[in-house]
Amino acid sequence: MNPSILREILKVTDRPGVLSLAGGLPSPHTFPVEAMREATAKVLADAPREALQYAASEGFGPLRDWVAAHLRGMGLKVEAHQVLITTGSQQGLDLVGKVLVDSGAPVAVETPTYLGALQAFSPFEPLFTSVASDLDGPLPDAIRALPHDAPGTRFLYVLPNFQNPTGRLMPEARRQAVIAAAQAARVPLVEDNPYGDLWFDAPPPPPLAARWPEGVVYMGSFSKVLAPGLRLGYVVAPPELFPKLLQAKQAADLHTPGFNQRVVYEVIKDGFLDRHVPTIRALYKTQRDAMVQALAQHMPAGTEWRVPQGGMFFWLRLPEGCPALALLPQAVAAGVAYVPGEPFYAHAPDSRTVRLSFVTLTPAQIDEAVALLGHVLRRHLNEDLQAPTP
Amino acid sequence: MNPSILREILKVTDRPGVLSLAGGLPSPHTFPVEAMREATAKVLADAPREALQYAASEGFGPLRDWVAAHLRGMGLKVEAHQVLITTGSQQGLDLVGKVLVDSGAPVAVETPTYLGALQAFSPFEPLFTSVASDLDGPLPDAIRALPHDAPGTRFLYVLPNFQNPTGRLMPEARRQAVIAAAQAARVPLVEDNPYGDLWFDAPPPPPLAARWPEGVVYMGSFSKVLAPGLRLGYVVAPPELFPKLLQAKQAADLHTPGFNQRVVYEVIKDGFLDRHVPTIRALYKTQRDAMVQALAQHMPAGTEWRVPQGGMFFWLRLPEGCPALALLPQAVAAGVAYVPGEPFYAHAPDSRTVRLSFVTLTPAQIDEAVALLGHVLRRHLNEDLQAPTP
């Protein structure tokens, strides 16, 4: 696996004139610019020296308190001293890798899984195990088999809410079964939840961490509900693990910018997200619906997908004979870009899978982009049919 | 070595009523609050969506250009595409460790060396070699001996300008000798330069990287010339190494906050540092001079130090019978804190060494703090004399 595949792909898709369904960029229309303006002015007026000075590696106290209270509202048993503020939740993955992974240690992931996690863990040279998964998430039997298949597995990395790349949501029954299986197999979980707030009809079931506090490391992010350019996330760890993560955090970048932490705390402290996040949900739901329609109208027969109930992504399986990576240059030439699914697999990639984001383009652009993609696929399928048999 | 020693020490020294010579905190009076205020307002007015969106892992283009031009002014041959913006220069150390260090690989450091570098490299489990050093820096003969003493040494980490912890400046002749020795030994250098701008009488000689561009990774920071709470630094790498560092950067935190990069660029783009840095130099020089006087007046006979020509630190060697770590609780009880030198040694610590910062306290406080320290030491020496011989 070459972890820079996606990076190289995204470079190509950045060309002007290309409608990109590739990037996972939140819509910039959702960024709370006015609130940020007020908050930065307030922080620089009230506590400029503190905001610009070195700060504690754990993070800004009031923000840690806020995160703990927010998570308790979701059913987690969390105290502020278990909350580590990170430079985006990507850094949470890096720190978990640093603390829990050694060269040759088995690490289990979903099939497929978030590419950024594979990239974050890879420098520590784990042996990845791809846990068999279906539309609801990893299969409990495959988790139960880990002690046999990959003895000493350090953890299973799971993204239960509107997963990147598949958009799938782990239902309540599967959550219970996954927890039971992980406990039976004595495999800790690393639960990543960047998209949980982006539900369209009903909030997701409570996190896995709410069911097994001592066995789950939980990660969250402000990137999707405020703005990713602030790079602000957090890790919640059982008390025994916390000091090691903190030490790794200190070694990694001393602390996350205090200025950013104070500004975000200033923005959110009085319930701003309760008013703001519903507007993001409404916007993304409209765009999701536009993609539902566009896919139904433009995709060739044999294309498979399930409608995501939240998050940012559709996951497609193209018809037989349509290799997603190989067709990307034709798609880009036609004016549309997507992310082939291959890099999201630790093993045995399904070459016909595709990730489409619906959060960056407008409904009209989504229709146009999907129409272009459908055209590229149909043309390819026709040429395939017309090609002389060798 | 327990990398959290300093962390625990600093917690104790944070007590109210304790005059701290321990922390390496830049004086908050030097933070350009007004310029920050204008710059944040301008960024949020001119490019709010871009500043708050995901951004390139390499860093903000205009800031990379600025850094490259700034370094060319110091004699380095650098193009912007070799500049990687990092979340503080501490992250530069982490990325260098990730890319260049494997478990058991030899890494050479000065004696003593920056504790944060030991902490950053340690997760990758190197075998540290402590290169014999004197008041001018590492000894060229000890570098020449590396292929014999520690075959396969990945790099030598050096901090030539007003080193943390010793405050020492590597003179021109030693720079030439170090480069010749490193080239002969085929040992690349990792050159860290957070303090180079904080000179009092004359700027330091050109960096090592200016003399051997293909053999030196160079690191710089905005923490000491603007404000550390922004967490903004950079790594300059030879073109062959750059893609690997970039990949590690992407895995570590995707990118350094774009908002911070744009704000800092806005602050510095029109020569602000040319006017601002001299005010920091003048302030710190006054405080350095206060410490020169205070040490001469209050330290017991047998204490050794050299007056630093820039930076933030004095490095003391206490009289015989004064173990710095063991005496710290007495010092804190008396109302003064310092950092014992032990954690800055990869091997064979000198237990009588002490690091004193002169940048956080005022001249009057410095005098008071050093007087307290002198009192603690004298009391200890007297008690030692009066103790019955066993």
Side-chain angles (χ1 to χ4, degrees), chain A residues 3 7 25-26 28 31 33 37 44 48-49 52-54 57-58 87 90-91 94 98 119 224 227-229 231 246-247 250-255 257-260, chain B residues 3 7 25-26 28 31 33 37 44 48-49 52-54 57-58 87 90-91 94 98 119 224 227-229 231 246-247 250-255 257-260:
Chain A
R7 190 183 168 73
L25 304 184
F31 299 163
V33 178
R37 213 170 270 152
L44 286 174
R49 314 284 172 194
L52 297 174
Q53 185 58 283
Y54 282 118
S57 300
E58 293 90 336
T87 309
Q90 182 73 24
Q91 185 181 52
D94 176 58
K98 222 177 242 173
Q119 289 178 257
K224 276 66 182 191
R231 310 303 307 122
L246 178 59
Q247 192 172 310
Q250 192 183 19
D253 62 4
L254 297 184
H255 63 86
F259 181 63
N260 302 237
Chain B
R7 185 180 173 75
L25 305 183
F31 300 162
V33 178
R37 212 170 271 151
L44 285 174
R49 315 284 172 196
L52 297 174
Q53 186 57 283
Y54 282 117
S57 299
E58 292 90 336
T87 309
Q90 182 72 24
Q91 187 182 50
D94 175 59
K98 220 176 243 174
Q119 290 179 254
K224 276 64 182 192
R231 310 305 305 123
L246 178 59
Q247 193 172 310
Q250 192 185 17
D253 63 4
L254 297 183
H255 63 87
F259 181 63
N260 302 238

Coordinates of all heavy atoms in Angstrom, one line a residue, chain A residues 3 7 25-26 28 31 33 37 44 48-49 52-54 57-58 87 90-91 94 98 119 224 227-229 231 246-247 250-255 257-260, chain B residues 3 7 25-26 28 31 33 37 44 48-49 52-54 57-58 87 90-91 94 98 119 224 227-229 231 246-247 250-255 257-260:
Chain A
P3 N 0.8 4.9 0.8 CA -0.1 5.9 1.5 C -0.2 7.2 0.8 O -1.0 8.0 1.2 CB 0.5 6.0 2.9 CG 1.9 5.6 2.7 CD 2.0 4.7 1.6
R7 N -3.1 11.3 -2.0 CA -2.5 12.6 -2.1 C -2.3 13.0 -3.6 O -2.6 14.1 -4.0 CB -1.2 12.6 -1.4 CG -0.6 13.9 -1.2 CD 0.8 13.8 -0.5 NE 1.3 15.1 -0.8 CZ 0.8 16.2 -0.2 NH1 0.0 16.1 0.8 NH2 1.3 17.4 -0.5
L25 N -13.7 17.7 1.8 CA -13.7 19.1 2.3 C -15.1 19.5 2.8 O -16.0 19.5 2.0 CB -13.2 20.1 1.3 CG -11.9 19.8 0.6 CD1 -11.6 21.0 -0.3 CD2 -10.8 19.7 1.7
P26 N -15.3 19.9 4.0 CA -16.6 20.4 4.5 C -16.9 21.6 3.7 O -16.0 22.4 3.2 CB -16.3 20.8 5.9 CG -15.2 19.9 6.4 CD -14.3 19.8 5.2
P28 N -17.4 25.2 2.8 CA -16.9 26.4 3.5 C -18.1 27.3 3.9 O -17.9 28.2 4.7 CB -16.0 27.1 2.4 CG -16.3 26.4 1.2 CD -16.9 25.1 1.4
F31 N -18.7 27.4 7.6 CA -17.8 27.9 8.5 C -18.3 29.1 9.3 O -18.8 30.1 8.6 CB -16.4 28.3 7.9 CG -15.7 27.1 7.2 CD1 -14.7 27.3 6.3 CD2 -16.1 25.8 7.5 CE1 -14.1 26.2 5.6 CE2 -15.5 24.7 6.9 CZ -14.5 24.9 5.9
V33 N -17.8 32.1 10.2 CA -16.8 33.2 10.1 C -17.1 34.3 11.1 O -16.2 34.9 11.8 CB -16.7 33.7 8.7 CG1 -15.7 34.9 8.6 CG2 -16.4 32.6 7.7
R37 N -14.7 35.7 14.1 CA -14.2 37.0 14.2 C -14.4 37.6 15.6 O -13.5 38.2 16.1 CB -15.0 37.8 13.1 CG -14.3 39.0 12.5 CD -15.1 39.5 11.3 NE -14.9 38.9 10.1 CZ -15.7 38.7 9.1 NH1 -17.0 39.2 9.2 NH2 -15.4 38.1 8.0
L44 N -8.0 38.0 22.0 CA -6.9 38.9 21.9 C -7.1 40.1 22.8 O -6.1 40.8 23.1 CB -6.6 39.3 20.5 CG -6.0 38.2 19.6 CD1 -5.8 38.6 18.2 CD2 -4.6 37.8 20.2
P48 N -4.6 38.0 25.8 CA -3.7 37.8 24.6 C -2.4 37.1 25.0 O -1.9 36.3 24.3 CB -3.4 39.3 24.2 CG -3.7 40.1 25.4 CD -4.8 39.4 26.1
R49 N -1.8 37.5 26.2 CA -0.5 36.9 26.6 C -0.7 35.4 26.9 O 0.2 34.6 26.5 CB 0.0 37.6 27.9 CG -0.1 39.1 27.9 CD 1.0 39.8 27.1 NE 0.7 41.2 27.0 CZ 1.3 42.0 26.1 NH1 2.2 41.6 25.2 NH2 1.0 43.3 26.1
L52 N -1.1 33.4 23.6 CA 0.1 33.4 22.7 C 1.3 32.7 23.4 O 2.4 32.6 22.8 CB 0.5 34.8 22.2 CG -0.6 35.5 21.4 CD1 -0.3 37.0 21.1 CD2 -0.9 34.7 20.1
Q53 N 1.2 32.4 24.7 CA 2.3 31.8 25.4 C 2.3 30.2 25.2 O 1.2 29.7 24.8 CB 2.2 32.1 26.9 CG 3.3 31.7 27.8 CD 4.7 32.2 27.3 OE1 5.3 31.7 26.4 NE2 5.2 33.2 28.0
Y54 N 3.4 29.6 25.5 CA 3.4 28.1 25.7 C 2.2 27.7 26.6 O 1.9 28.5 27.6 CB 4.7 27.6 26.2 CG 5.8 27.5 25.2 CD1 7.0 28.3 25.4 CD2 5.7 26.7 24.1 CE1 8.0 28.2 24.5 CE2 6.8 26.6 23.2 CZ 7.9 27.4 23.4 OH 8.9 27.3 22.5
S57 N 0.4 20.7 27.8 CA 0.3 19.7 26.7 C -1.1 19.0 26.7 O -1.6 18.6 25.7 CB 1.3 18.6 26.9 OG 2.6 19.1 26.8
E58 N -1.8 19.0 27.9 CA -3.1 18.4 28.0 C -4.1 19.1 27.2 O -5.1 18.6 26.7 CB -3.6 18.4 29.4 CG -2.8 17.5 30.4 CD -1.6 18.2 31.0 OE1 -1.1 19.2 30.4 OE2 -1.2 17.7 32.1
T87 N -4.0 18.2 17.8 CA -3.9 19.0 16.6 C -4.7 18.3 15.5 O -4.1 17.7 14.6 CB -2.5 19.3 16.3 OG1 -1.8 19.8 17.4 CG2 -2.4 20.4 15.2
Q90 N -6.6 13.6 13.5 CA -5.5 12.9 12.8 C -4.3 12.7 13.8 O -3.7 11.7 13.9 CB -5.0 13.6 11.6 CG -3.9 12.9 10.8 CD -4.4 11.7 10.0 OE1 -5.6 11.6 9.7 NE2 -3.5 10.7 9.8
Q91 N -4.1 13.7 14.6 CA -3.0 13.6 15.6 C -3.3 12.5 16.6 O -2.4 11.9 17.1 CB -2.6 14.9 16.2 CG -1.4 14.7 17.1 CD -1.0 16.0 17.9 OE1 -1.8 16.6 18.5 NE2 0.3 16.4 17.7
D94 N -2.1 9.4 15.3 CA -0.7 9.3 15.4 C -0.2 9.0 16.8 O 0.6 8.1 17.0 CB -0.1 10.7 15.0 CG 1.5 10.7 15.1 OD1 2.1 9.9 14.5 OD2 2.0 11.6 15.8
K98 N 1.7 5.7 18.2 CA 3.0 5.8 18.8 C 3.0 5.0 20.1 O 4.0 4.4 20.5 CB 3.3 7.3 19.1 CG 4.7 7.7 18.8 CD 4.9 9.2 19.1 CE 5.3 9.9 17.8 NZ 5.3 11.4 17.9
Q119 N -2.4 5.5 7.2 CA -1.2 6.3 7.1 C -0.6 6.7 8.4 O 0.6 6.7 8.6 CB -1.6 7.6 6.4 CG -1.9 7.5 4.9 CD -2.3 8.8 4.3 OE1 -3.4 9.1 4.0 NE2 -1.3 9.7 4.0
K224 N -15.5 19.0 11.5 CA -16.7 18.9 10.7 C -17.8 19.8 11.2 O -18.8 20.0 10.5 CB -17.2 17.5 10.6 CG -16.5 16.7 9.5 CD -15.0 16.5 9.7 CE -14.3 15.8 8.6 NZ -12.9 15.4 9.1
A227 N -14.7 24.1 11.8 CA -13.8 24.3 10.6 C -12.6 23.5 10.8 O -11.9 23.5 11.8 CB -13.5 25.8 10.5
P228 N -12.2 22.8 9.7 CA -11.0 22.0 9.8 C -9.7 22.7 9.8 O -8.7 22.2 10.3 CB -11.1 21.1 8.5 CG -12.0 21.9 7.6 CD -12.9 22.7 8.4
G229 N -9.7 24.0 9.3 CA -8.4 24.8 9.3 C -7.9 25.2 10.6 O -6.8 25.7 10.7
R231 N -7.6 22.9 13.0 CA -6.9 21.6 13.5 C -7.1 21.4 15.0 O -6.2 21.6 15.8 CB -5.4 21.7 13.2 CG -5.0 22.0 11.8 CD -5.6 21.1 10.7 NE -5.4 19.7 10.8 CZ -6.4 18.8 10.9 NH1 -7.6 19.2 10.9 NH2 -6.1 17.6 11.1
L246 N -0.2 11.5 26.7 CA 0.2 12.8 27.1 C 1.7 13.0 26.8 O 2.1 14.0 26.2 CB -0.1 13.2 28.5 CG 0.3 14.5 29.0 CD1 -0.4 15.6 28.2 CD2 -0.1 14.7 30.5
Q247 N 2.5 12.0 27.2 CA 3.9 12.1 27.0 C 4.2 12.1 25.5 O 5.1 12.9 25.0 CB 4.6 10.9 27.6 CG 6.1 11.0 27.7 CD 6.6 9.8 28.6 OE1 6.1 9.6 29.7 NE2 7.6 9.1 28.0
Q250 N 3.3 15.6 24.1 CA 4.4 16.6 24.4 C 5.5 16.4 23.4 O 6.1 17.4 22.9 CB 4.8 16.4 25.8 CG 5.7 17.5 26.3 CD 6.2 17.3 27.7 OE1 6.2 16.2 28.2 NE2 6.6 18.4 28.4
A251 N 5.9 15.2 23.2 CA 7.1 14.9 22.3 C 6.7 15.3 20.8 O 7.6 15.7 20.0 CB 7.5 13.5 22.3
A252 N 5.4 15.2 20.5 CA 5.0 15.4 19.1 C 5.0 16.9 18.7 O 5.4 17.3 17.6 CB 3.7 14.8 18.8
D253 N 4.4 17.8 19.5 CA 4.3 19.2 19.2 C 4.2 20.1 20.4 O 3.7 21.2 20.3 CB 3.3 19.5 18.1 CG 1.8 19.2 18.6 OD1 1.7 18.8 19.8 OD2 0.9 19.3 17.8
L254 N 4.5 19.6 21.6 CA 4.4 20.3 22.9 C 3.0 20.5 23.3 O 2.6 20.1 24.3 CB 5.2 21.6 22.9 CG 6.7 21.6 22.7 CD1 7.3 23.0 22.9 CD2 7.4 20.6 23.7
H255 N 2.2 21.2 22.4 CA 0.8 21.4 22.7 C 0.1 21.9 21.4 O 0.8 22.4 20.6 CB 0.5 22.3 23.9 CG 1.0 23.7 23.7 ND1 0.3 24.7 23.0 CD2 2.2 24.3 24.0 CE1 1.0 25.8 23.0 NE2 2.1 25.6 23.5
P257 N -2.0 24.6 19.4 CA -2.0 26.0 19.6 C -3.0 26.5 20.6 O -4.2 26.3 20.4 CB -2.3 26.6 18.2 CG -1.8 25.5 17.3 CD -2.0 24.2 18.0
G258 N -2.6 27.2 21.7 CA -3.5 27.7 22.7 C -4.4 28.7 22.2 O -5.6 28.8 22.6
F259 N -3.9 29.5 21.2 CA -4.8 30.5 20.6 C -6.0 29.9 20.0 O -7.2 30.3 20.3 CB -4.0 31.3 19.5 CG -4.7 32.4 18.9 CD1 -5.2 33.5 19.6 CD2 -4.9 32.3 17.5 CE1 -5.9 34.5 18.9 CE2 -5.6 33.3 16.8 CZ -6.1 34.4 17.6
N260 N -5.8 28.8 19.2 CA -6.9 28.1 18.6 C -7.9 27.5 19.6 O -9.1 27.6 19.4 CB -6.4 27.0 17.6 CG -5.5 27.5 16.6 OD1 -5.7 27.3 15.4 ND2 -4.4 28.2 16.9
Chain B
P3 N 11.7 10.8 30.3 CA 11.5 12.1 29.6 C 10.4 13.0 30.3 O 10.3 14.1 29.9 CB 11.0 11.7 28.3 CG 10.5 10.3 28.4 CD 11.2 9.7 29.6
R7 N 8.8 17.8 33.0 CA 7.4 18.1 33.1 C 6.9 18.1 34.5 O 6.3 19.0 35.0 CB 6.7 17.0 32.3 CG 5.2 17.2 32.3 CD 4.5 16.1 31.5 NE 3.1 16.5 31.8 CZ 2.6 17.5 31.1 NH1 3.2 18.1 30.2 NH2 1.4 17.8 31.5
L25 N 10.0 30.0 28.9 CA 8.9 30.8 28.4 C 9.3 32.2 27.9 O 9.8 33.0 28.7 CB 7.8 31.0 29.4 CG 7.2 29.8 30.1 CD1 6.0 30.3 31.1 CD2 6.6 28.8 29.1
P26 N 9.2 32.5 26.6 CA 9.5 33.9 26.2 C 8.7 34.9 27.0 O 7.6 34.6 27.4 CB 9.1 33.9 24.7 CG 9.0 32.4 24.3 CD 8.7 31.7 25.6
P28 N 6.1 37.4 27.8 CA 4.9 37.7 27.1 C 4.8 39.2 26.7 O 4.0 39.6 25.8 CB 3.8 37.4 28.1 CG 4.5 37.2 29.4 CD 5.9 36.9 29.1
F31 N 5.2 39.7 22.9 CA 4.2 39.2 22.0 C 3.5 40.4 21.2 O 3.0 41.3 21.9 CB 3.1 38.3 22.7 CG 3.7 37.1 23.4 CD1 2.9 36.5 24.3 CD2 4.9 36.6 23.1 CE1 3.3 35.3 25.0 CE2 5.4 35.5 23.7 CZ 4.6 34.9 24.7
V33 N 0.8 41.7 20.2 CA -0.6 41.5 20.3 C -1.4 42.4 19.3 O -2.3 42.0 18.6 CB -1.1 41.8 21.7 CG1 -2.6 41.7 21.8 CG2 -0.4 40.9 22.7
R37 N -3.8 41.2 16.3 CA -5.2 41.6 16.2 C -5.5 42.1 14.8 O -6.5 41.7 14.2 CB -5.3 42.8 17.2 CG -6.7 42.9 17.9 CD -6.7 43.9 19.0 NE -6.3 43.3 20.3 CZ -5.7 44.0 21.3 NH1 -5.4 45.2 21.1 NH2 -5.4 43.4 22.4
L44 N -9.5 37.0 8.4 CA -10.9 36.7 8.5 C -11.8 37.5 7.6 O -13.0 37.2 7.3 CB -11.4 36.7 10.0 CG -10.9 35.5 10.8 CD1 -11.4 35.7 12.3 CD2 -11.5 34.2 10.3
P48 N -11.6 34.2 4.7 CA -12.0 33.4 5.8 C -12.2 31.9 5.5 O -11.8 31.0 6.2 CB -13.3 34.0 6.3 CG -13.8 34.8 5.0 CD -12.6 35.2 4.3
R49 N -12.8 31.7 4.3 CA -13.1 30.3 3.9 C -11.8 29.5 3.7 O -11.7 28.4 4.1 CB -13.9 30.2 2.6 CG -15.1 31.2 2.6 CD -16.3 30.8 3.4 NE -17.3 31.8 3.5 CZ -18.3 31.8 4.4 NH1 -18.4 30.9 5.3 NH2 -19.2 32.8 4.4
L52 N -10.0 28.7 7.0 CA -10.6 27.8 7.9 C -10.8 26.4 7.2 O -11.3 25.5 7.9 CB -12.0 28.3 8.3 CG -11.9 29.6 9.2 CD1 -13.3 30.2 9.4 CD2 -11.2 29.4 10.5
Q53 N -10.5 26.3 6.0 CA -10.6 25.0 5.3 C -9.4 24.1 5.5 O -8.3 24.6 5.9 CB -10.8 25.3 3.8 CG -11.1 24.1 2.9 CD -12.4 23.3 3.3 OE1 -12.3 22.5 4.3 NE2 -13.5 23.5 2.6
Y54 N -9.5 22.8 5.2 CA -8.3 22.0 5.1 C -7.3 22.6 4.1 O -7.7 23.3 3.1 CB -8.7 20.6 4.5 CG -9.3 19.7 5.5 CD1 -10.6 19.2 5.4 CD2 -8.6 19.2 6.7 CE1 -11.1 18.3 6.3 CE2 -9.1 18.4 7.6 CZ -10.4 17.9 7.4 OH -11.0 17.1 8.3
S57 N -0.5 19.9 3.1 CA 0.3 19.5 4.1 C 1.7 20.2 4.1 O 2.3 20.3 5.2 CB 0.6 18.0 4.0 OG -0.6 17.2 4.1
E58 N 2.1 20.7 3.0 CA 3.4 21.4 2.9 C 3.4 22.7 3.7 O 4.4 23.2 4.1 CB 3.7 21.7 1.4 CG 4.0 20.6 0.5 CD 2.7 20.0 -0.1 OE1 1.6 20.2 0.4 OE2 2.8 19.4 -1.2
T87 N 4.0 22.2 13.0 CA 3.3 22.7 14.2 C 4.3 22.9 15.4 O 4.4 22.0 16.3 CB 2.2 21.7 14.6 OG1 1.4 21.4 13.4 CG2 1.2 22.2 15.7
Q90 N 9.2 21.7 17.4 CA 9.1 20.4 18.1 C 8.6 19.3 17.1 O 9.1 18.2 17.1 CB 8.2 20.4 19.4 CG 8.2 19.1 20.2 CD 9.4 18.8 20.9 OE1 10.2 19.7 21.3 NE2 9.7 17.5 21.2
Q91 N 7.6 19.7 16.3 CA 7.1 18.7 15.4 C 8.1 18.3 14.3 O 8.2 17.2 13.8 CB 5.8 19.2 14.7 CG 5.2 18.0 13.8 CD 4.0 18.5 13.0 OE1 4.0 19.5 12.4 NE2 3.0 17.7 13.2
D94 N 10.0 15.5 15.7 CA 9.2 14.3 15.7 C 9.2 13.7 14.3 O 9.4 12.5 14.1 CB 7.7 14.6 16.1 CG 6.8 13.4 15.9 OD1 7.0 12.4 16.6 OD2 5.8 13.5 15.2
K98 N 10.7 10.2 13.0 CA 9.8 9.2 12.3 C 10.5 8.7 11.0 O 10.4 7.5 10.7 CB 8.5 9.8 12.0 CG 7.3 9.0 12.2 CD 6.0 9.7 12.0 CE 5.2 9.8 13.3 NZ 4.0 10.7 13.1
Q119 N 13.2 13.6 23.9 CA 11.8 13.1 24.0 C 11.2 12.8 22.6 O 10.4 11.9 22.5 CB 11.0 14.2 24.7 CG 11.3 14.4 26.1 CD 10.4 15.5 26.7 OE1 10.9 16.6 27.0 NE2 9.1 15.2 26.9
K224 N 10.0 32.1 19.2 CA 10.8 33.0 20.0 C 10.8 34.4 19.4 O 11.2 35.4 20.2 CB 12.3 32.5 20.2 CG 12.5 31.5 21.3 CD 11.7 30.2 21.1 CE 11.9 29.2 22.2 NZ 11.4 27.9 21.8
A227 N 5.5 34.4 18.8 CA 4.8 33.9 20.0 C 4.7 32.4 19.9 O 4.3 31.8 18.8 CB 3.4 34.5 20.1
P228 N 5.0 31.7 21.0 CA 5.0 30.2 21.0 C 3.6 29.6 20.9 O 3.4 28.5 20.4 CB 5.7 29.8 22.2 CG 5.6 31.0 23.1 CD 5.5 32.2 22.3
G229 N 2.6 30.3 21.4 CA 1.2 29.8 21.4 C 0.6 29.6 20.0 O -0.4 29.0 19.9
R231 N 2.3 27.9 17.7 CA 2.9 26.7 17.3 C 3.2 26.7 15.8 O 2.6 26.0 15.0 CB 2.0 25.4 17.6 CG 1.4 25.3 19.0 CD 2.5 25.3 20.1 NE 3.5 24.3 19.9 CZ 4.8 24.6 19.9 NH1 5.3 25.8 20.0 NH2 5.7 23.6 19.8
L246 N 7.3 15.0 4.3 CA 5.9 15.5 3.9 C 4.9 14.4 4.2 O 3.8 14.6 4.8 CB 5.9 15.9 2.5 CG 4.5 16.4 1.9 CD1 4.0 17.6 2.7 CD2 4.6 16.7 0.5
Q247 N 5.2 13.2 3.8 CA 4.3 12.0 4.1 C 4.1 11.8 5.6 O 3.0 11.6 6.1 CB 4.9 10.8 3.4 CG 4.0 9.6 3.3 CD 4.6 8.5 2.5 OE1 5.1 8.7 1.4 NE2 4.6 7.3 3.1
Q250 N 1.8 14.6 6.9 CA 0.4 14.4 6.6 C -0.2 13.3 7.5 O -1.3 13.5 8.0 CB 0.3 13.9 5.1 CG -1.1 13.9 4.6 CD -1.2 13.3 3.2 OE1 -0.4 12.6 2.8 NE2 -2.4 13.5 2.6
A251 N 0.6 12.3 7.8 CA 0.1 11.3 8.8 C 0.0 11.8 10.2 O -0.8 11.3 11.0 CB 1.0 10.1 8.7
A252 N 0.8 12.8 10.5 CA 0.9 13.3 11.9 C -0.3 14.2 12.3 O -0.9 14.1 13.3 CB 2.2 14.0 12.2
D253 N -0.6 15.1 11.4 CA -1.7 16.0 11.7 C -2.3 16.7 10.4 O -3.0 17.7 10.6 CB -1.4 17.1 12.7 CG -0.3 18.0 12.3 OD1 0.2 18.0 11.1 OD2 0.2 18.9 13.1
L254 N -2.2 16.0 9.3 CA -2.6 16.5 8.0 C -2.0 17.8 7.6 O -1.3 17.9 6.5 CB -4.2 16.7 8.0 CG -5.0 15.5 8.2 CD1 -6.5 15.8 8.0 CD2 -4.6 14.3 7.2
H255 N -2.1 18.8 8.4 CA -1.3 20.1 8.1 C -1.4 21.0 9.4 O -2.2 20.8 10.2 CB -2.0 20.8 6.9 CG -3.4 21.3 7.1 ND1 -3.7 22.5 7.7 CD2 -4.6 20.7 6.9 CE1 -5.0 22.6 7.8 NE2 -5.6 21.5 7.3
P257 N -2.3 24.3 11.3 CA -3.5 25.2 11.1 C -3.3 26.3 10.1 O -2.4 27.1 10.3 CB -3.8 25.7 12.5 CG -3.2 24.7 13.5 CD -2.0 24.1 12.8
G258 N -4.1 26.3 9.1 CA -3.9 27.2 8.0 C -4.2 28.7 8.5 O -3.6 29.6 8.0
F259 N -5.1 28.8 9.4 CA -5.5 30.1 10.0 C -4.2 30.7 10.6 O -3.8 31.8 10.3 CB -6.5 29.9 11.1 CG -7.0 31.1 11.7 CD1 -7.6 32.1 11.0 CD2 -6.8 31.3 13.1 CE1 -8.0 33.3 11.6 CE2 -7.3 32.5 13.7 CZ -7.9 33.5 13.0
N260 N -3.5 29.9 11.4 CA -2.3 30.4 12.1 C -1.2 30.8 11.0 O -0.5 31.8 11.2 CB -1.7 29.3 13.0 CG -2.7 28.9 14.1 OD1 -2.4 29.0 15.3 ND2 -3.8 28.4 13.7

